Amino acid sequence: MQNKYLLLSERSRSEILSVMPREREILRLADYFQNFSDSTRIKILTCLSMMEMCVNDLSAVLAINQTTISHQLKQLKDQGIVSYKRNGKILVYRLINENVNDMMMYALNVI
């Protein structure tokens, strides 16, 4: 059975498919953008875009319990968005890539 398109030519279809990310890349993008679907993670990212911070300081600034902050930081770390360095017993978190903040600022201008 041959596909019949209403507005799409076979050439356009081929062009679209040639730039379509591979399935693995699409899944990675979906996982990445899921980080911005949680208000707590957005608050954490906003704080970390200003300066490196530990869980206790993030908790105090955001008025969110440390367990929640730690859980969200783990997700952000697993996605490669934040990293940490050890300062004695304290873990100090930072954004790995400042493009995250640029993307959030761009989104604010769009909405």
Side-chain angles (χ1 to χ4, degrees), residues 20-97:
M20 182 74 63
R22 289 182 228 132
E23 190 64 26
R24 182 175 179 216
E25 293 168 327
I26 289 171
L27 293 173
R28 287 181 64 208
L29 277 170
D31 286 344
Y32 182 80
F33 282 109
Q34 189 175 18
N35 288 299
F36 304 98
S37 67
D38 182 89
S39 61
T40 301
R41 286 191 295 264
I42 291 173
K43 291 174 185 177
I44 291 169
L45 291 170
T46 301
C47 290
L48 295 179
S49 72
M50 302 293 293
M51 65 184 296
E52 297 178 350
M53 298 178 79
C54 67
V55 172
N56 188 58
D57 289 343
L58 285 163
S59 177
V61 168
L62 300 175
I64 299 171
N65 71 57
Q66 290 184 15
T67 303
T68 300
I69 297 286
S70 293
H71 175 73
Q72 299 301 338
L73 282 168
K74 181 185 180 329
Q75 288 188 288
L76 293 169
K77 186 176 110 14
D78 290 348
Q79 284 292 322
I81 295 175
V82 302
S83 67
Y84 66 87
K85 63 183 176 187
R86 186 171 291 281
N87 186 357
K89 292 183 177 183
I90 299 171
L91 300 178
V92 181
Y93 289 86
R94 68 175 185 85
L95 284 181
I96 291 176
N97 187 329

